[in-house]
Amino acid sequence: NIDCQPCGLNLSEGCARAAAMVGIYNGILDHSVPANAGSFRRVDVLLRENCVVGIPRHPHSCSVATTNLADRVSNPVQRAIAEIAPGFGMADTGPIMPPAMGVISGKDPRHGDAPFVNQIFLGATGGAGTPVTDGFLSIIHVGNAGLCRQDSIEVDELHHPLFVRRRSLTPDTEGAGTFRGAPSVYAEFGPTEGCTMEVLYTADGTVNPAEGAQGGGPGALSRAFKRELDGTLTELPACHGVKLEPGEYVVSRSSGGGGYGSPLERDPARVLHDVLEGWVSRERARDVYGVVLVDAGTELAVDEAATARLRASLAN
């Protein structure tokens, strides 16, 4: 790791140690091993002084110690375990903080223009494929491991002058695998009439996706846009503060999670289920998972013979 940087992008010593241990506990230890001082003493984490991921030295700041950079420690640890020891570890969990996890602020016309500010959690998924399960859909990020909650749209709209235009899962954004990662979530939101709102976010995963493990594919990249008054979309930077007038919206797509194992070894019944749920298209089922689906009356079914032939050809 490089030396400490003259900004807040440095991990504290506590965060650096804990982030590496998150990858260990997520990736290899059975759930019956308690997360307490006794088991912690069995893990040694080696850190270097004056390092962005290590032991910082004054005057360097650690103001973003617990989020993006910590994830970049935990994910490689759990993925390295997967590559070293098949049947253990996990793929990468999707990087976090898209606009739908941003901080909104402004003045609320419903309450005499009283100022408001709050962080919202309107859309993030990112769960990583494991040796035995698909990605945890609402993990949100690797460190919290599901302890955060997705916001209720209705509650957010009651508390703030906010309108959520749409929230949905995005097809074909999962990291393909024997056990796939979680698909991305789409969220579009903006201020109500009479309000100007600012949305500040620090999105990770816009360049480097959540990587798969043991032949699994990467999850989709995070994306951010502003929907203009005429309906057109303007792409936004990864870290940005965007001001919105009524009728303008932020469009947020979170990162997908990485997949574990070859997608050609995924149970065709699971692929069919994902297609029926709208998470995976029939084309992706065929081209990536090697599963041929046919119309069977009013339903879809797996053509097992055609699937076996296609998978054999894709494997070669």
Side-chain angles (χ1 to χ4, degrees), residues 268-312:
R270 287 180 174 267
V271 178
L272 174 60
H273 174 269
D274 287 345
V275 171
L276 294 175
E277 289 293 315
W279 294 10
V280 173
S281 66
R282 289 181 68 172
E283 293 75 20
R284 184 169 174 84
R286 180 193 65 225
D287 298 340
V288 176
Y289 293 92
V291 174
V292 179
L293 301 176
V294 294
D295 295 310
T298 59
E299 300 180 351
L300 282 179
V302 176
D303 186 328
E304 295 184 5
T307 294
R309 291 193 299 270
L310 177 58
R311 285 186 160 183

Side-chain angles (χ1 to χ4, degrees), residues 21 23-34 39 43 81 88-89:
M21 293 178 72
I24 293 287
Y25 278 76
N26 281 358
I28 195 169
L29 296 182
D30 185 82
H31 68 277
S32 62
V33 177
S39 62
V43 180
I81 292 169
F88 294 93

Side-chain angles (χ1 to χ4, degrees), residues 219-298:
L221 293 171
S222 177
R223 303 290 300 277
F225 300 91
K226 177 184 177 184
R227 190 176 298 279
E228 309 288 353
L229 289 173
D230 62 2
T232 59
L233 292 176
T234 301
E235 189 159 9
L236 298 177
C239 301
H240 190 54
V242 58
K243 293 184 177 180
L244 302 174
E245 301 292 336
E248 298 176 332
Y249 299 91
V250 161
V251 174
S252 169
R253 191 183 80 183
S254 68
S255 302
Y260 194 109
S262 169
L264 297 179
E265 296 178 9
R266 182 165 175 78
D267 184 348
R270 287 180 174 267
V271 178
L272 174 60
H273 174 269
D274 287 345
V275 171
L276 294 175
E277 289 293 315
W279 294 10
V280 173
S281 66
R282 289 181 68 172
E283 293 75 20
R284 184 169 174 84
R286 180 193 65 225
D287 298 340
V288 176
Y289 293 92
V291 174
V292 179
L293 301 176
V294 294
D295 295 310
T298 59

Side-chain angles (χ1 to χ4, degrees), residues 145-199:
L147 293 178
C148 285
R149 297 287 186 267
Q150 306 280 350
D151 286 0
S152 161
I153 290 174
E154 291 79 6
V155 170
D156 277 358
E157 291 180 337
L158 283 171
H159 281 206
H160 308 294
L162 173 75
F163 173 62
V164 180
R165 194 177 190 188
R166 177 184 162 195
R167 178 166 67 178
S168 61
L169 295 174
T170 307
D172 297 347
T173 52
E174 86 297 350
T178 306
F179 292 99
R180 57 154 178 76
S184 303
V185 64
Y186 175 103
E188 185 170 349
F189 60 94
T192 57
E193 192 65 34
C195 174
T196 298
M197 178 183 294
E198 185 167 5
V199 182

Side-chain angles (χ1 to χ4, degrees), residues 64-230:
V64 293
T66 61
T67 53
N68 304 62
L69 200 54
D71 285 4
R72 292 298 184 179
V73 177
S74 301
N75 274 318
V77 171
Q78 68 188 35
R79 184 167 169 267
I81 292 169
E83 296 298 330
I84 293 169
F88 294 93
M90 298 169 65
D92 281 352
T93 301
I96 57 167
M97 307 299 278
M101 289 181 68
V103 174
I104 61 171
S105 61
K107 295 183 177 180
D108 192 339
R110 305 170 304 173
H111 301 290
D113 283 339
F116 68 89
V117 60
N118 198 11
Q119 183 177 9
I120 56 174
F121 290 82
L122 274 172
T125 52
T130 81
V132 293
T133 60
D134 290 334
F136 180 2
L137 183 63
S138 57
I139 193 171
I140 296 186
H141 88 125
V142 62
N144 283 338
L147 293 178
C148 285
R149 297 287 186 267
Q150 306 280 350
D151 286 0
S152 161
I153 290 174
E154 291 79 6
V155 170
D156 277 358
E157 291 180 337
L158 283 171
H159 281 206
H160 308 294
L162 173 75
F163 173 62
V164 180
R165 194 177 190 188
R166 177 184 162 195
R167 178 166 67 178
S168 61
L169 295 174
T170 307
D172 297 347
T173 52
E174 86 297 350
T178 306
F179 292 99
R180 57 154 178 76
S184 303
V185 64
Y186 175 103
E188 185 170 349
F189 60 94
T192 57
E193 192 65 34
C195 174
T196 298
M197 178 183 294
E198 185 167 5
V199 182
L200 181 66
Y201 62 91
T202 55
D204 198 354
T206 61
V207 176
N208 298 301
E211 295 289 352
Q214 288 293 328
L221 293 171
S222 177
R223 303 290 300 277
F225 300 91
K226 177 184 177 184
R227 190 176 298 279
E228 309 288 353
L229 289 173
D230 62 2

